[in-house]
Amino acid sequence: MNEQEIQRKRRENEEQATRNRARILGLPYLDTRDFENTIPLVPDVLSVDQMHKDFIIPLQAGTEELPFRFMVTSQTPNSLIPELRKKYIDQGQHVGFFLISKAAYQVFMLRYDPPKEVHYDDIKIAKEGDSETIAEVSQTLSTVSTEKVFDFLLDQADKLGASDIHIENMRTEIRIRMRVDGILHPVANIDKDRYRIFMGELSARANISTASTKPQSGHMQQEIHRGGASHLLNIRVEMVPTMYGQDAVLRLFNFDESLLNLDLLGLSDTEMSTIREIISHPRGLVLMVGPTGSGKSTTLYSILNALNTTDRKIITLEDPIEYGITGISQIPIYTNDGGSFADGLRSVLRLDPDVVMVGEIRDADTARTAIQASITGHLVLSSFHANSTAAAFSRMIDLIGTNPIFASSIRLLIAQRLVRKLADSKEAYKPDDATADYFRRTLEGAPGTENIDFNNLTLYHPVASEAAPFGYLGRTVIMEQLVVSDEIQGFLRGDIADISTKAIETSAKQHGMLTLEQKGLLAALRGETTLEEVSRVI
């Protein structure tokens, strides 16, 4: 899904929410998308200041035959509509009001009150050794005004699809890097004076201290407006003192409920049906495993969104809350201040939830509480740090021992990684004999590989283009799913002596599981990614 489609989807969701809101308020709803940029403006009815203050815009100036008409939003003060209606009726004039979306209001206000600001060049990502691009971006950042520099950096990071921004102290300058599609790219080098502006703005927004000698965490939000739509960027800020000053990492979470959807994860029909079948049951434990940045949270939230219906009570325990989802009770757990997932879970179980999501299982107490909840009528979702599904079982056994209750509660383990997707400009090539032999050893006998001719494989190289400077465009999920069979339960109960990761994985593969490595190689054969990318990530 490209940026234009994402913006269109966001706008459509906002219009639908406004349409529903209009029914509640008893106002006619107006979809302005077909004319908001072309309809003539109505001057001299309201001042720009009042339009800003009261979130109201004139649509039509009244005449003897036609009434006055105004567009209002859900942020318009409740008292304003009856006041204006009385004012015009007292003057013997008719008046009408329509509810429009916040995005529509912003489009009209940009026409009534266009911003008076300098336009800066977009930030470009430099290729390796490209000092000229870094110098250009550094120069741009040095010219952006003090009050706009942080907004500019966040807007550009969002436009590039960056997942985080790194601000790092070097001996003589400050390096700014952005992580795009999982890879860190240098963006700019700025001088120490500019760094103080960055840190001052960051400390004020995220409520952290630039003078602290301890690591700190903060949170901030930024409204991003682009293409007639807007979305909220949630930003988690991590700061740590280093030899030359405070380094900061800003993790960007693009808040958009419409994108937290299982159908948008790029899963195969088999992977999708497995997840849907497991979560259709009213109880059980589902674990997501993988390193930081592997997309665990997005998958968990997408599962929650699929379960988010009016007949279910869903509660989450998170540290921190990364996305806010309508209809779900989300509870922050402050582990840095002594809070624990286990205590929080015991408390929320008294609220009779149908589904509980525990941000992370970090200790035996949380693990046992989650397992207990999953066998007493609750569907429990959680994440767990391990490299693979089989390794997760081994780690869990180390944590709580062989456990018959765990064996009967765990239904599904999912391990995943994110690999960069090849752009359409990719180039096919034939691998050498050693590579072909590696594919044969890894894939031969695996389900769905019967028709692969290992003597005539085709792989792909990335080729740079204007749309994809590095030959990649976006990322895709590589997912390993281990559905717990009777034999796997035997490992967890202690019926089988060898409970090593290798033994569990061998058993799972015999029952049809494809490992992360196998899934990655199949994605490379389909031309979705490269062998080098699979090797880097998996």
Side-chain angles (χ1 to χ4, degrees), residues 464-489:
S465 65
E466 187 175 342
F470 296 92
Y472 295 97
L473 206 57
R475 288 190 289 178
T476 189
V477 172
I478 302 295
M479 181 177 286
E480 172 183 302
Q481 294 178 333
L482 197 164
V483 180
V484 179
S485 62
D486 290 339
E487 186 170 333
I488 295 296
Q489 287 186 347

Side-chain angles (χ1 to χ4, degrees), residues 116 195 264 393 401 418:
K116 302 171 182 62
Y195 164 75
L264 300 180
F393 274 131
L418 295 174

Side-chain angles (χ1 to χ4, degrees), residues 369-409:
T369 308
I371 291 165
Q372 193 65 38
S374 67
I375 63 169
T376 56
H378 307 88
L379 178 63
V380 180
L381 312 174
S382 190
S383 67
F384 188 61
H385 275 286
N387 285 328
S388 67
T389 55
F393 274 131
S394 296
R395 276 205 64 210
M396 189 63 79
I397 291 169
D398 287 341
L399 198 63
I400 62 172
T402 51
N403 189 315
I405 299 177
F406 178 46
S408 61
S409 68

